Amino acid sequence: MVRIRVMETPVNLSLAVSAIRSEDFAQGYRLLQPVLRDDPGNAAAWFNLGGLLERHRRWSGAAACFRRADELRPGVPDVLMALGWHLHLAGRSVEAEGVLRRCIEADSGKALAYTNLSHVLATLGRDEESLRYALRAADLDPTNNLVRLGEAFALFFAGRWLEGFRAFECRLALKMHDLVGYPWPRWDGGVVGTLYLRAEQGLGDTLMMLRYLAEVDCLAERVVFYVQRELLGLAREMYPAWDVRCVTDPMPEVDVDAWCPLMGLPSVLGLPCPYWDGVYIGPNPRIQVYRPGLRVGIAWFGDAAHDNDQHRSIRLDDMLRLTEVGAGGIEFVSLQAGQRGTDEINAASCHALVRDMSPEMPDMRAAVDVYSTCDLVICVDTAASHLAGAMGIPCWMLVNQRGRDWRWLRSETTTEWYPGHRIFARSLDEQWSDVIARVAEELRAWVNGMV
């Protein structure tokens, strides 16, 4: 949750520190090596090296560096906070809790330490305690956007959805600076002339928020809607009267009366949350597919650049265990769009077990028609889950207790956001193979009930 600050250093580290502060991380790394070779007892050098490794997502290496800094200079709050957070990112959340508590004992006013501890406790399944620490952090530093983001997540995990979405507004100033400077007022949810509505996060987030568009259509005379390129065709079909553009296009040149980020719709509309008014994405009625047997769509990875991808994606080899079920009575199809899924299927030589549907899914509009042929979708936490849910297709979703997303895991079997979903949760002491074994057993029972 916290980005590492540069620790104060003696003169012989000044060049390395200057390089790090100017974001020349490669130069900073090169300069730190001789310092640590000549002076391995330099706590500041270890701290700064940990910060560099953090920027490259080397969680275990960063934690080891911060541990050395703590051993050399025990009890420094910034070191303890960094060590605790990176132990958590490295999968050692129980250790992280103890270290972050040491940090709070050393400096009870350090708001980000409470925020980080809140995240750790959420991973450990202690949501009420997590919320207490998040709210304490917000009391200590109410203008800190990282603290506010931690508060939003804790409120989500506690099921206080509308409060969470209001706190979640901090994401704009934290990560989306270009949106904060728009020249129009934020929409207040009332009747409006021309509304500029913008998708602002991943495909799954956009698909999840599409449920609110019918309400927007009733309140706005005109909507200029910017979405990801993959969703252009689908959005234009859903709302043909809207001016739908790509998020990479220039800002609208029309007169705009108000604007709203897509993830801001729950709080601005004030609807019951989670809001569900039935299926809101359907297949093209002109397309009819006739096929024998059952079809199960699978998706095993998400965007590798996602902060949580190390916890949510699994290997194709693990997913292939499901193809042992059904004795040929099930056709398994890959719902992974793009070249990576094709490459993994080719590398595994499993074309007879899993049909690659990527060529038939150039965008989400085409994907809707592919999904509509599936009797069941089994996937990890990625856009496939949101599209299946929006279409009302039964979906079994594999989610990880570690790195848990705020939408899932208040219940370990269901989600309030998609009534047709079933959650298969990986606990902290399990491997993905354990989860897949449970899914395979349930799939066998499902097939027997279908035939």
Side-chain angles (χ1 to χ4, degrees):
M1 192 67 192
V2 59
R3 288 288 181 183
I4 301 306
R5 296 190 295 108
V6 176
M7 193 176 186
E8 291 302 319
T9 58
V11 175
N12 63 338
L13 284 180
S14 61
L15 291 177
V17 172
S18 296
I20 295 169
R21 284 177 171 157
S22 63
E23 299 191 355
D24 187 351
F25 302 132
Q27 177 69 353
Y29 183 83
R30 285 193 295 271
L31 291 169
L32 282 173
Q33 301 313 302
V35 173
L36 288 169
R37 183 185 62 240
D38 298 337
D39 185 11
N42 192 314
W46 286 113
F47 182 86
N48 285 294
L49 181 58
L52 285 174
L53 294 177
E54 185 268 347
R55 288 176 170 88
H56 294 283
R57 300 189 178 186
R58 305 292 192 264
W59 314 130
S60 294
C65 291
F66 296 133
R67 177 77 75 184
R68 291 200 177 190
D70 179 50
E71 290 172 351
L72 291 165
R73 288 177 56 183
V76 177
D78 281 347
V79 174
L80 291 171
M81 185 168 67
L83 173 58
W85 183 242
H86 288 81
L87 285 171
H88 171 63
L89 293 177
R92 298 157 63 181
S93 299
V94 174
E95 291 179 70
E97 179 187 355
V99 171
L100 289 169
R101 291 191 184 281
R102 282 179 57 205
C103 178
I104 291 171
E105 289 174 4
D107 183 354
S108 61
K110 203 165 192 61
L112 281 173
Y114 291 88
T115 295
N116 289 354
L117 181 56
S118 172
H119 278 275
V120 171
L121 293 171
T123 294
L124 296 175
R126 291 149 60 183
D127 290 342
E128 292 184 6
E129 193 176 358
S130 169
L131 180 58
R132 288 202 302 273
Y133 280 95
L135 295 177
R136 174 59 177 155
D139 287 339
L140 289 169
D141 195 354
T143 63
N144 187 313
N145 287 314
L146 277 174
V147 169
R148 288 284 289 162
L149 190 63
E151 179 189 10
F153 290 148
L155 288 165
F156 286 146
F157 287 135
R160 293 163 60 172
W161 298 108
L162 285 177
E163 292 175 82
F165 276 109
R166 293 188 183 110
F168 197 46
E169 288 294 298
C170 69
R171 72 195 183 280
L172 301 178
L174 186 63
K175 295 184 176 181
M176 304 170 191
H177 307 289
D178 57 325
L179 303 190
V180 179
Y182 283 162
W184 315 293
R186 280 289 297 273
W187 186 39
D188 62 5
V191 176
V192 66
T194 298
L195 175 67
Y196 172 42
L197 183 63
R198 184 182 179 90
E200 20 129 354
Q201 300 202 49
L203 285 174
D205 300 290
T206 300
L207 288 167
M208 176 180 169
M209 291 294 110
L210 295 185
R211 70 186 71 203
Y212 294 100
L213 296 191
E215 188 73 15
V216 173
D217 197 42
C218 295
L219 294 169
E221 295 178 13
R222 180 183 183 186
V223 179
V224 185
F225 186 25
Y226 279 59
V227 296
Q228 296 91 338
R229 187 170 303 280
E230 298 92 332
L231 284 165
L232 283 172
L234 179 60
R236 285 169 176 163
E237 182 174 289
M238 291 179 68
Y239 291 94
W242 288 12
D243 182 358
V244 180
R245 310 183 188 187
C246 182
V247 289
T248 58
D249 290 343
M251 290 172 61
E253 67 285 349
V254 298
D255 290 333
V256 171
D257 297 299
W259 82 281
C260 186
L262 195 61
M263 294 289 284
L265 289 178
S267 58
V268 76
L269 291 172
L271 294 169
C273 198
Y275 174 72
W276 180 260
D277 194 26
V279 172
Y280 53 91
I281 297 178
N284 188 331
R286 297 187 299 274
I287 297 179
Q288 296 185 9
V289 178
Y290 299 95
R291 55 177 177 75
L294 300 172
R295 173 177 279 190
V296 174
I298 60 173
W300 59 95
F301 66 82
D303 183 356
H306 192 282
D307 289 343
N308 196 40
D309 192 63
Q310 62 172 330
H311 297 307
R312 65 173 184 168
S313 293
I314 68 175
R315 302 180 308 149
L316 173 58
D317 283 351
D318 288 328
M319 191 69 90
L320 286 179
R321 179 169 180 178
L322 301 180
T323 65
E324 300 174 17
V325 177
I330 302 177
E331 180 187 19
F332 290 88
V333 298
S334 167
L335 300 178
Q336 298 287 172
Q339 190 60 39
R340 177 181 166 187
T342 298
D343 290 343
E344 292 192 13
I345 291 172
N346 290 341
S349 300
C350 61
H351 304 84
L353 296 171
V354 179
R355 180 179 172 184
D356 180 15
M357 303 300 290
S358 178
E360 300 181 38
M361 298 191 298
D363 60 15
M364 281 292 176
R365 171 60 270 175
V368 165
D369 295 324
V370 171
Y371 277 59
S372 69
T373 69
C374 294
D375 300 288
L376 173 68
V377 170
I378 302 176
C379 63
V380 297
D381 178 12
T382 186
S385 166
H386 292 280
L387 184 55
M391 295 179 64
I393 299 170
C395 179
W396 295 359
M397 186 169 57
L398 284 56
V399 297
N400 196 342
Q401 173 71 20
R402 192 174 303 286
R404 62 197 299 222
D405 185 89
W406 53 268
R407 281 158 280 225
W408 327 122
L409 283 178
R410 288 196 60 235
S411 161
E412 293 191 354
T413 57
T414 61
T415 170
E416 299 169 75
W417 288 97
Y418 296 109
H421 271 39
R422 182 174 177 185
I423 303 292
F424 289 81
R426 173 186 169 180
S427 63
L428 295 179
D429 59 353
E430 285 188 311
Q431 303 299 317
W432 279 121
S433 57
D434 301 315
V435 181
I436 291 291
R438 296 203 305 273
V439 175
E441 182 179 349
E442 292 298 319
L443 183 60
R444 189 170 286 107
W446 178 78
V447 172
N448 290 336
M450 295 288 285
V451 296

